[in-house]
Amino acid sequence: MNEKVMRGLAKPMLFAAAFIWGSSFFIMKDALDALPVQYLLAIRFTAGAVLLGLLCWKKWKIFTPDYLWRGAIIGGFLYLAYSVQTYGLALTTPSKNAFLTAVYCVLVPFLYWAFARVRPDRYNVIAAVLCVAGVGLVSLTGDLTVNPGDGLTLISAVFYASHIVAVAKVSPKKDIYLLTVFQFAFAGSYAWIGGAFTETFPAQALTRPEVVLPLVYLAVMATTVALLFQNVGQIWSDPASASVILSLESVFGVLCSVVFAGDQVNGRMLLGFVLIFVAVVCSETKFSFVRVKG
């Protein structure tokens, strides 16, 4: 396709990616009723690795052995992030899980500061303050404690941020699609190992359509298609617009959870969601999309 067509498709693809990821929260919640966490992730990431590997078959000719250790590292962070997030999802609502996970966007500049000595700017600091206020409104109970599900989700945000930093460190000069195949493959392998030691394989559940269909959606749409849409959309969009659109994942997560899963959202939580969303947009874009260009 020519450049004009690709630029026209870029933003719809980013919106689609954000919606697919947002919708995956309540679908994951339903899947957890029938599948243990480790095997759910094992099947999802293994299927994603196979599908993406087939889609990117022409890129295998550039494979070098260092893709293995790079994929093992970022796959490890991805596995930890998804595992902890999914355990948290089992103990909280999909809407809270969606927004608290988005905190990772605000954490990335501060983790990157620790590893690369690149100091966060004022927008990162403002975003952090807004984010802390938003998390407090969403998660703190009347006795100023955080329930276990929300706590695990916040821990998963740290792992997601670590994953982003790790990708930035190991991906330069490597094909991101091929590297992602190995990332998924290793994340799936870690989950298979975790399941073998801690869970019983859900053979009977995997014969039921109401279990298999959500798994297919998670593996095909939320893992493979959404990732491709994100990568292609970011290539043909400006970074600020792409960041804003992708940050809508948490908004779509709440909307889908309310509409399809019956989540209850009160005024305090809604204000917290707004603050977290503004914090993410501030950290990701520094509000460049509203500043007048000279």
Side-chain angles (χ1 to χ4, degrees), residues 199-214:
E199 300 171 349
T200 301
F201 185 73
Q204 186 174 1
L206 292 172
T207 63
R208 308 203 313 260
E210 66 270 22
V211 175
V212 174
L213 290 177

Side-chain angles (χ1 to χ4, degrees), residues 9-293:
L9 290 174
K11 286 184 174 60
M13 293 175 82
L14 291 171
F15 273 110
F19 179 81
I20 292 169
W21 279 322
S23 67
S24 70
F25 288 93
F26 85 90
I27 293 174
M28 282 277 284
K29 180 75 170 180
D30 289 343
L32 288 171
D33 293 335
L35 297 172
V37 170
Q38 296 296 315
Y39 281 116
L40 188 157
L41 295 177
I43 294 169
R44 174 179 179 174
F45 282 121
T46 301
V50 171
L51 288 171
L52 190 58
L54 292 173
L55 287 170
C56 302
W57 63 273
K58 289 184 178 180
K59 296 182 178 292
W60 285 93
K61 62 185 177 183
I62 64 173
F63 168 78
T64 53
D66 63 328
Y67 274 93
L68 294 174
W69 68 260
R70 295 171 192 271
I73 291 173
I74 59 177
F77 280 113
L78 190 69
Y79 163 71
L80 288 171
Y82 267 89
S83 292
V84 177
Q85 179 196 25
T86 308
Y87 284 120
L89 178 59
L91 300 172
T92 190
T93 63
S95 56
K96 291 172 75 175
N97 191 255
F99 259 96
L100 293 177
T101 300
V103 168
Y104 81 86
C105 297
V106 178
L107 296 176
V108 167
F110 296 93
L111 282 178
Y112 200 69
W113 182 22
F115 286 98
R117 299 293 185 267
V118 178
R119 186 183 297 273
D121 60 26
R122 61 184 179 182
Y123 293 100
N124 299 135
V125 175
I126 292 170
V129 173
L130 290 172
C131 192
V132 169
V135 167
L137 289 171
V138 170
S139 297
L140 289 178
T141 60
D143 57 357
L144 299 181
T145 59
V146 177
N147 76 49
D150 292 349
L152 286 171
T153 305
L154 288 170
I155 294 172
S156 79
V158 176
F159 284 125
Y160 276 114
S162 301
H163 169 257
I164 296 294
V165 174
V167 169
K169 298 291 286 185
V170 307
S171 63
K173 299 182 180 179
K174 295 297 171 183
D175 182 84
I176 191 62
Y177 295 98
L178 189 57
L179 187 59
T180 301
V181 172
F182 286 100
Q183 172 185 239
F184 286 170
F186 276 102
S189 298
Y190 300 143
W192 284 114
I193 294 170
F197 280 101
T198 63
E199 300 171 349
T200 301
F201 185 73
Q204 186 174 1
L206 292 172
T207 63
R208 308 203 313 260
E210 66 270 22
V211 175
V212 174
L213 290 177
L215 264 181
V216 171
Y217 181 85
L218 291 172
V220 177
M221 299 301 295
T223 304
T224 308
V225 172
L227 176 76
L228 289 173
F229 280 5
Q230 178 197 16
N231 286 338
V232 175
Q234 285 185 311
I235 289 172
W236 295 98
S237 296
D238 61 283
S241 296
S243 297
V244 171
I245 294 171
L246 289 172
S247 68
L248 291 173
E249 172 191 345
S250 54
V251 177
F252 287 133
V254 171
L255 292 176
C256 289
S257 298
V258 170
V259 173
F260 298 109
D263 263 15
Q264 300 297 313
V265 178
N266 58 38
R268 190 182 77 165
M269 288 171 56
L270 186 60
L271 178 58
F273 291 156
V274 170
L275 288 177
I276 293 173
F277 178 71
V278 173
V280 170
V281 173
C282 177
S283 180
E284 291 289 290
T285 70
K286 309 183 193 306
F287 298 122
S288 61
F289 58 96
V290 297
R291 293 199 293 269
V292 179
K293 297 180 179 180

